[in-house]
Amino acid sequence: MSTNEVELLTRVAWLHFMEGVTQREIAKKLGISQPKVARLLDRAKKCGIVRISIASPYANCLAIEGELRRLFPHLEDVVVVPAPQGGDLFASLGRAGAWYLERVLQDGDLVGIAWGRTLKHVASSVQGTRVRNLKFVTLVGGLTASASLNPYTIGEKLASIFEGECYYLYAPAVVESEEIRNFYLNERINQKTLELARQTRWSLVGIGTVDARHSIYALTGFIDYHELELLRQKGAVGDILGQFYDRQGNLIDTPLHRRTVALPLEDLRKMKNVIGIAGGKEKVEAILGALRGKYIKILITDEETARDIVELAKREG
């Protein structure tokens, strides 16, 4: 490249990127065509005269979002937020989930709701919004402990904020037997709720783990250590709506599943705009399994978790 060419490329780049001069104004100033200015700017970037650097904590997040989209082409959207330094990860993800909902929801939308700590923070973080008359429907039965994590509580709070209504699955999330589960599922009011659930425009779910220290199932007393150990022995890495799957996303059939009152994951997989919100090292395998099983179409997580998911997915192929 001649000295004159370098000088021209540098001048055009300086005028455009440093002084904010438009391509049309540069063309007029230098006596060349606007398409040539565009070509010169492109060439300046390719040959290294122009190097674009984004100084923001979100820059790395955007790069990882791109990696996740390439690894999991079925994903419709990915939101990765900076990991909180010493802060509350659930609260951070909850704010991200609330921001996402406020951005995408429209008047009259039907929204499915699950349970969990992150979803509790989503409901607490939603601000005043322009959309109204939303309908929420719970995708899983209720918890008998930890009321703030209950899908009923979360759905009711969101319905109040958006001046809408909430429809419930009237049953505990886990019952004593398959016969009792079938009784609840065959109740007319619950059949109507499940039919509504299958029609949702958006659904919001958490992603659970088989780690007893972090499992909502274990912390609320629905299952004990021995049942969790049985799930781990069968290869379980996580759950959505109380239904467990392995690291490839395959459902694991256990007696617990046949006692769970919830929308089947086979139905969830067919639904559009299913938003999975989760983060933390203990959730990496669970999130990866959910992605491989295509149970979620939109992922909201933190930077450290996202990076670990990408590394694990690449390592395992």
Side-chain angles (χ1 to χ4, degrees):
M1 189 185 305
S2 70
T3 302
N4 288 341
E5 288 176 314
V6 172
E7 189 272 339
L8 179 60
L9 289 173
T10 305
R11 185 175 299 279
V12 169
W14 183 271
L15 287 169
H16 185 65
F17 292 108
M18 302 304 292
E19 297 187 10
V21 182
T22 67
Q23 293 185 23
R24 177 179 293 181
E25 291 169 335
I26 293 171
K28 184 177 180 180
K29 182 180 181 70
L30 300 182
I32 57 179
S33 69
Q34 187 173 335
K36 183 172 183 178
V37 172
R39 290 195 297 272
L40 289 170
L41 289 171
D42 184 59
R43 189 177 174 193
K45 285 186 282 187
K46 288 179 177 177
C47 71
I49 289 175
V50 173
R51 297 179 183 178
I52 297 175
S53 175
I54 301 176
S56 165
Y58 287 91
N60 290 335
C61 296
L62 295 175
I64 300 171
E65 287 177 11
E67 289 255 35
L68 285 166
R69 287 191 182 93
R70 284 188 288 274
L71 286 168
F72 305 101
H74 76 279
L75 282 175
E76 297 165 4
D77 204 356
V78 184
V79 176
V80 175
V81 297
Q85 300 302 313
D88 186 337
L89 178 58
F90 295 119
S92 178
L93 292 174
R95 288 190 294 271
W99 167 82
Y100 194 88
L101 284 182
E102 290 168 355
R103 185 165 64 89
V104 301
L105 292 179
Q106 298 178 12
D107 286 350
D109 273 352
L110 179 61
V111 184
I113 294 294
W115 59 14
R117 287 164 290 192
T118 306
L119 269 62
K120 177 189 79 169
H121 283 287
V122 171
S124 299
S125 300
V126 170
Q127 304 297 315
T129 177
R130 56 182 174 76
V131 296
R132 295 288 183 271
N133 303 318
L134 269 65
K135 294 181 174 64
F136 295 88
V137 55
T138 60
L139 305 177
V140 60
L143 298 172
T144 54
S146 299
S148 65
L149 311 182
N150 202 311
Y152 300 167
T153 306
I154 295 168
E156 183 179 0
K157 184 166 188 174
L158 288 170
S160 175
I161 292 170
F162 289 101
E163 299 180 8
E165 299 176 324
C166 189
Y167 302 87
Y168 307 100
L169 265 180
Y170 286 103
V174 180
V175 294
E176 290 297 317
S177 68
E178 184 175 357
E179 290 74 21
I180 296 175
R181 191 278 303 263
N182 291 340
F183 168 79
Y184 278 117
L185 291 179
N186 288 326
E187 284 286 292
R188 183 178 301 176
I189 190 169
N190 285 334
Q191 288 185 344
K192 289 182 177 179
T193 299
L194 288 171
E195 187 54 39
L196 271 180
R198 295 183 182 98
Q199 299 171 25
T200 54
R201 185 166 183 263
W202 302 92
S203 293
L204 199 62
V205 301
I207 299 173
T209 173
V210 290
D211 185 331
R213 297 168 299 174
H214 303 282
S215 167
I216 292 293
Y217 259 147
L219 294 174
T220 54
F222 269 128
I223 59 176
D224 58 26
Y225 171 81
H226 298 291
E227 287 178 296
L228 270 180
E229 184 59 31
L230 174 63
L231 286 163
R232 281 195 292 266
Q233 289 174 6
K234 287 180 173 286
V237 296
D239 81 278
I240 295 175
L241 304 180
Q243 297 158 76
F244 289 82
Y245 49 82
D246 64 21
R247 63 196 308 121
Q248 298 303 321
N250 301 309
L251 277 172
I252 297 176
D253 184 34
T254 68
L256 175 63
H257 275 191
R258 295 188 288 277
R259 296 190 290 115
T260 299
V261 182
L263 180 78
L265 283 194
E266 293 91 339
D267 291 346
L268 189 75
R269 182 190 276 135
K270 299 172 186 175
M271 291 159 53
K272 59 185 179 181
N273 299 328
V274 178
I275 307 168
I277 308 182
K281 288 191 176 296
E282 71 279 359
K283 297 282 186 77
V284 170
E285 289 187 340
I287 298 171
L288 180 56
L291 290 170
R292 285 171 169 165
K294 299 183 180 179
Y295 300 121
I296 59 174
K297 308 300 190 301
I298 298 161
L299 174 64
I300 299 176
T301 190
D302 66 283
E303 181 182 352
E304 290 181 4
T305 303
R307 195 181 304 281
D308 289 344
I309 292 168
V310 168
E311 290 177 359
L312 182 59
K314 287 181 175 179
R315 189 163 63 245
E316 293 185 348

